[in-house]
C-alpha cells in the first residue's frame, strides 16, 4: 500500500453561536473528532445524513476553514491556522468540486477564463500561451469540445458544468480532490457519466479522493473505504466490502437498510429510526446515537464509545455480532 | 425525441451559439416602448449637447440690447430671429437652452461617476469587512440618508461656497449612500456562493475576490441605480441653481435660468417655461430609460 498523502487526526470544527439577550452563547460541534487517511489512487467515501458534518469536513480538508482542534497533515506537512494562504504549492495540493454546478461557476467568466484562473494565480511563471494550451487540454480530458472554451456557464447543462468544475479543480494538478456531493444535483444518467469520468481521471492522475455523499449506491460504486459520520463523529470506518456486507454499528446498518434495491422480489427488512438527528449544540450524553438506537444498553447513555478495531473500526458498546450481519 | 428536436430546426439555428448577453439584453430592452422612447430622447439631448456650438444660432451670453423679453416667433411681437424669444437682458433663449444641455450632461455624468465609484467602493468594503467596520460604514450612510437630500446638499454647499462644482460634489455625497447600500446587499448575496469559495480555493487574494470575482456579478442593480441617479442629479442641481446655490449667472444652466426668470413668470411665460420643459423632458426620458434597464437586467422582473 502506498503512503498516505493526507492524515487527519481527531479533526474538530466548532462554531460559536452568539446567544443574544438572556441566552448563553452556544457551541455547534459540526465536526467532532474525525481521523482518517487518504492514499493516492484511493477513494475514501464519507456518508451520513444531513447535518452530520460532511460538508464541514470538506471545508476543513480544503483549508477553507481552519480546524478548531486536531491535526491535518498534508504531504508530510502540518497545516497551521493560516491554512494555505501564501503557500502556492500547498494550495495546489487540495482542490474541491462542489455539489451545485449552477452556483460553482462564475457567470461572468468564460469557461476558458475559469479554467485559466487557478494557473494565473498560483503559477505566474507559466506563460499566457502555455496557460491556454493546458486549459484546452484539460477541457478535452473531461470530455468537452474545444468550442466550449469561449462560452459562458449559462450555455451549459448541469452535467457539462460539473465537468468544467472538475476540470478547474484539476488545473493545478492536485494530489487530493475533495468531492462534495459532486453528482447529487445531476440526473441519474449524467451521474454515471460524471462518476466514470472521475474514476477514469483518478486512475490516470493517481488522485486521492475524499468523496462526500449521502447516496449509498454511488458510494458502493466508487469507494475503496467508507467513513460513516453521525453528528460530526465517525461511528464506523473501514473497507467498502466490510462496511456494506458486515456493518457493525447499528447506525450504519440502519443507513444501509434505507438504500433502495432495484429488485422487487427481494423483501428487505427496513430498519426505521425513531426521532430526529439531535442538535449538534446539545448532544446526548454517552453515545450520541443512543436516543435512536434499538440496541441501547445502560452503558450507552453514560459512556462515550471509542473507535475500536483494526482496519474496520466502529464506535459502539453493543456492536452487531458478525454472524448476525452475515445472515442479513 | 432527439429527432423532433433536431429536425424542424433550420441548420443555421443549430450552428449558431446561444445569443450573447448584449443581444439578449437588447431584445428585452426594446420590448419596453417607453424605455426606447426615453433612450431616443436621451440620445437626442446628448447629440445637442455635443454639437452645441454648431447648432446654437448665437453665443449663450451675447446680449442684444434691442431685443429684451422678445416672445417666441409664433406669438405676436416675436420674430424668427429669436425662435424661442429672449430673456430680460436680451440673450437668445434657444442658444442658452442648447448650451444648457451641456451643463446638464456634464453634471449628470460627473455626479453619477463620483457617487457610483465612491459608493461601490464603500459598499464592497462593507460587504466583506469585519462586523465593526461594516456597522460603522452603514450607520454613517444611515445618518446621511436621514436628512432630506436637498437640505443636506444645501448645507454642504453653504459650507463649501456656492458654485457649480461644489453643488455637484454636494449632490454626489447625498446620492452615494444609495449605492453603498445597494452594493453591500448584492455583495452579501454573492459572496456566499460556491464560485466565490472556488476562487478562494484557486488561490485568489481578498482584493481580487472583491473586485474581480464578486463585483462584476453585482453590477446589474448598480447600473440601474446609476441611470436613475442621473436624473436626480440633473434635478437637484437645477434646484440648487434655482436657490442660487448652484451654477452662478451668467452660466446657462437650466435651474439657474429658471431662478433668473422668476420675476417674469407672469409677464413673459417663455423665459420660465422652456428651461422648465427641458428639465422635465430630460428627467422623464432618463427615468423611462432607467426603468427599461432595470426590466432588462433584472431576470426576476422579466416578462416571459
Amino acid at each position: 500500500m502506498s503512503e498516505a498523502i493526507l492524515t487527519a487526526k481527531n479533526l474538530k470544527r466548532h462554531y460559536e453561536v452568539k446567544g443574544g439577550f438572556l441566552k448563553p452563547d452556544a457551541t455547534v460541534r459540526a465536526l467532532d473528532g474525525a481521523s482518517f487517511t487518504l492514499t493516492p489512487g484511493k477513494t475514501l467515501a464519507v456518508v451520513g445524513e444531513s447535518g452530520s458534518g460532511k460538508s464541514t469536513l470538506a471545508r476543513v480538508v480544503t483549508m477553507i476553514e481552519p480546524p478548531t482542534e486536531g491535526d491535518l497533515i498534508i504531504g508530510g506537512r502540518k497545516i497551521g491556522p493560516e491554512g494555505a494562504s501564501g503557500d502556492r504549492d500547498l494550495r495546489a495540493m487540495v482542490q474541491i468540486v462542489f455539489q451545485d454546478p449552477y452556483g460553482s461557476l462564475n457567470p461572468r467568466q468564460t469557461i476558458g477564463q475559469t479554467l485559466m484562473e487557478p494557473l494565473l494565480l498560483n503559477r505566474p511563471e507559466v506563460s499566457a500561451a502555455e496557460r491556454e494550451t493546458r486549459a484546452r487540454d484539460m477541457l478535452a480530458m473531461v470530455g468537452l469540445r474545444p468550442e466550449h472554451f469561449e462560452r459562458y456557464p449559462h450555455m451549459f447543462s448541469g452535467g457539462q458544468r460539473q465537468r468544467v468544475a472538475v476540470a478547474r479543480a484539476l488545473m493545478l494538478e492536485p494530489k487530493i480532490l475533495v468531492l462534495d456531493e459532486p453528482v447529487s444535483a445531476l440526473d441519474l444518467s449524467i451521474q454515471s457519466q460524471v462518476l466514470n469520468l472521475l474514476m477514469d481521471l483518478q486512475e490516470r492522475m493517481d488522485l486521492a479522493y475524499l468523496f462526500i455523499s449521502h447516496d449509498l449506491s454511488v458510494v458502493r460504486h466508487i469507494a475503496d473505504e467508507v467513513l460513516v459520520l453521525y453528528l460530526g463523529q465517525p461511528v464506523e470506518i473501514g473497507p467498502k466490502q466490510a462496511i456494506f456486507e458486515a456493518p457493525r454499528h447499528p447506525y450504519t446498518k440502519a443507513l444501509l437498510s434505507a438504500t433502495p434495491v432495484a429488485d422487487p422480489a427481494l423483501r428487505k427488512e427496513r430498519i426505521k429510526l425513531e426521532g430526529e438527528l439531535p442538535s449538534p449544540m446539545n448532544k446526548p450524553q454517552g453515545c450520541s446515537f443512543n436516543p435512536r438506537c434499538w440496541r441501547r444498553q445502560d452503558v450507552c447513555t453514560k459512556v462515550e464509545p471509542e473507535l475500536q478495531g483494526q482496519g474496520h473500526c466502529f464506535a459502539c458498546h453493543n456492536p452487531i455480532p458478525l454472524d448476525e450481519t452475515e445472515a442479513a | 425525441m432527439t429527432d423532433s428536436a433536431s429536425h424542424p430546426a433550420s441548420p443555421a439555428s443549430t450552428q449558431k451559439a446561444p445569443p450573447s448577453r448584449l443581444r439578449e439584453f437588447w431584445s428585452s430592452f426594446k420590448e419596453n416602448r417607453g424605455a426606447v422612447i426615453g433612450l431616443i430622447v436621451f440620445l437626442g439631448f446628448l447629440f445637442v449637447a455635443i454639437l452645441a456650438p454648431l447648432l446654437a444660432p448665437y453665443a449663450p451670453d451675447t446680449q442684444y440690447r434691442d431685443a429684451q423679453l422678445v416672445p417666441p416667433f409664433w406669438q405676436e411681437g416675436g420674430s424668427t430671429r429669436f425662435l424661442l424669444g429672449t430673456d430680460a437682458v436680451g440673450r437668445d433663449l434657444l442658444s442658452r437652452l442648447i448650451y444648457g444641455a451641456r451643463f446638464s450632461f456634464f453634471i449628470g455624468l460627473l455626479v453619477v461617476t463620483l457617487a457610483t465609484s465612491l459608493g461601490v467602493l464603500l459598499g464592497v468594503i462593507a460587504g466583506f469587512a469585519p462586523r465593526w467596520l461594516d456597522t460603522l460604514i452603514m450607520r454613517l450612510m444611515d445618518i446621511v440618508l436621514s436628512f432630506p437630500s436637498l437640505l443636506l446638499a444645501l448645507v454642504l454647499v453653504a459650507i463649501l461656497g456656492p458654485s457649480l462644482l461644489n453643488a455637484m460634489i454636494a449632490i454626489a455625497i447625498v446620492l452615494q449612500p444609495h449605492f453603498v447600500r445597494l452594493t453591500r446587499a448584492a455583495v452579501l448575496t454573492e459572496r456566499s456562493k460556491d464560485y466565490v469559495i472556488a476562487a478562494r480555493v484557486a488561490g485568489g487574494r481578498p482584493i481580487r475576490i472583491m473586485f474581480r470575482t464578486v463585483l462584476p456579478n453585482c453590477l446589474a442593480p448598480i447600473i440601474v441605480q446609476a441611470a436613475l441617479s442621473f436624473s436626480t442629479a440633473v434635478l437637484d442641481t437645477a434646484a440648487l441653481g434655482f436657490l442660487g446655490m448652484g451654477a452662478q449667472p451668467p452660466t446657462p444652466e437650466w435651474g439657474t435660468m429658471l431662478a433668473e426668470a422668476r420675476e417674469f413668470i407672469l409677464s413673459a411665460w417663455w423665459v420660465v417655461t422652456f428651461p422648465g420643459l427641458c428639465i422635465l423632458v430630460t428627467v422623464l426620458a432618463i427615468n423611462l430609460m432607467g426603468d427599461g434597464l432595470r426590466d432588462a437586467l433584472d431576470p426576476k422582473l422579466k416578462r416571459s
Side-chain angles (χ1 to χ4, degrees), chain A residues 59 62 64 86 91 94-96 98-100 103-108 117-118 120-122 151 154-155 168 172, chain B residues 17-21 24 131 193-205 208 212-213 216-217 219-220:
Chain A
R59 293 170 74 91
T62 322
I64 298 167
R91 182 75 280 165
V94 190
Q95 290 289 306
I96 186 167
F98 294 99
Q99 172 178 7
D100 175 19
S104 64
L105 299 177
N106 188 341
R108 299 268 160 178
E117 194 177 32
L120 182 74
L121 294 172
N122 287 283
R151 296 202 183 156
H154 72 272
M155 304 171 180
R168 170 180 60 194
L172 290 173
Chain B
S20 71
R21 270 168 185 281
E24 210 174 291
R131 205 181 228 172
K193 291 198 178 158
D194 278 347
Y195 72 86
V196 181
I197 301 172
R200 259 171 66 197
V201 176
R205 299 271 169 279
R208 185 186 164 89
R212 293 290 295 276
T213 311
N217 287 295
L219 279 182

Side-chain angles (χ1 to χ4, degrees), chain A:
Chain A
M1 204 167 149
S2 54
E3 211 161 288
I5 183 86
L6 180 144
T7 309
K9 279 186 203 145
N10 199 22
L11 272 191
K12 292 187 182 181
R13 173 72 199 171
H14 298 171
Y15 297 100
E16 300 294 324
V17 180
K18 278 254 184 288
F21 187 64
L22 286 182
K23 236 167 99 190
D25 289 3
T27 309
V28 177
R29 298 161 166 265
L31 184 65
D32 209 14
S35 307
F36 54 89
T37 55
L38 295 180
T39 340
K42 298 282 179 200
T43 302
L44 172 68
V46 179
V47 297
E49 62 195 294
S50 310
S52 59
K54 304 186 301 277
S55 291
T56 307
L57 179 66
R59 293 170 74 91
V60 171
V61 170
T62 322
M63 296 171 283
I64 298 167
E65 287 174 16
T68 315
E69 231 177 272
D71 292 336
L72 186 63
I73 298 156
I74 298 176
R77 294 171 50 194
K78 199 170 172 301
I79 308 304
E82 76 285 348
S85 56
D87 190 333
R88 292 191 176 123
D89 292 328
L90 194 57
R91 182 75 280 165
M93 288 274 275
V94 190
Q95 290 289 306
I96 186 167
V97 176
F98 294 99
Q99 172 178 7
D100 175 19
Y102 292 89
S104 64
L105 299 177
N106 188 341
R108 299 268 160 178
Q109 279 181 333
T110 63
I111 301 309
Q113 284 169 326
T114 299
L115 291 185
M116 288 188 290
E117 194 177 32
L119 278 183
L120 182 74
L121 294 172
N122 287 283
R123 301 272 181 262
E125 69 277 5
V126 175
S127 71
E130 167 72 12
R131 238 184 352 249
E132 188 173 332
T133 319
R134 284 201 209 173
R136 283 184 186 280
D137 290 349
M138 187 57 78
L139 205 61
M141 202 151 133
V142 297
L144 292 171
R145 292 199 300 277
E147 67 261 31
H148 291 151
F149 194 78
E150 310 288 345
R151 296 202 183 156
Y152 285 93
H154 72 272
M155 304 171 180
F156 289 93
S157 68
Q160 285 173 317
R161 287 181 198 218
Q162 205 60 314
R163 284 169 191 265
V164 175
V166 171
R168 170 180 60 194
L170 293 178
M171 280 306 288
L172 290 173
E173 292 161 8
K175 300 275 185 293
I176 300 158
L177 199 57
V178 176
L179 302 153
D180 188 357
E181 310 211 19
V183 293
S184 47
L186 305 177
D187 279 355
L188 216 54
S189 57
I190 309 294
Q191 279 195 4
S192 59
Q193 285 179 20
V194 173
L195 284 177
N196 288 339
L197 169 73
L198 286 171
M199 289 166 86
D200 189 33
L201 290 171
Q202 179 173 44
E203 204 169 298
R204 244 194 276 183
M205 301 173 80
D206 203 25
L207 292 162
Y209 282 170
L210 181 69
F211 190 93
I212 290 165
S213 181
H214 56 240
D215 186 342
L216 288 170
S217 4
V218 169
V219 169
R220 199 193 281 267
H221 185 57
I222 197 168
D224 295 299
E225 276 195 296
V226 178
L227 170 71
V228 183
L229 275 184
Y230 184 78
L231 270 185
Q233 283 172 319
V235 294
E236 190 159 4
I237 181 169
K240 172 173 73 173
Q241 202 83 11
I243 298 276
F244 275 95
E245 276 161 26
R248 303 298 304 277
H249 196 284
Y251 179 65
T252 314
K253 189 163 166 70
L255 209 59
L256 286 172
S257 80
T259 324
V261 179
D263 184 359
L266 196 78
R267 298 290 304 178
K268 259 181 79 176
E269 190 79 9
R270 211 192 132 185
I271 301 161
K272 281 210 178 105
L273 287 183
E274 301 285 316
E276 292 282 313
L277 192 71
S279 160
M281 264 190 264
N282 185 16
K283 284 194 182 179
Q285 274 240 307
C287 171
S288 51
F289 187 56
N290 83 66
R292 300 168 78 186
C293 186
W294 70 97
R295 298 174 63 87
R296 181 176 57 221
Q297 295 173 324
D298 278 352
V299 63
C300 300
T301 56
K302 293 183 187 111
V303 185
E304 213 180 314
E306 298 281 324
L307 269 180
Q308 46 173 307
Q310 279 286 320
H312 180 187
C313 312
F314 45 91
C316 188
H317 293 301
N318 184 19
I320 297 166
L322 271 174
D323 52 338
E324 192 178 313
T325 57
E326 271 154 12

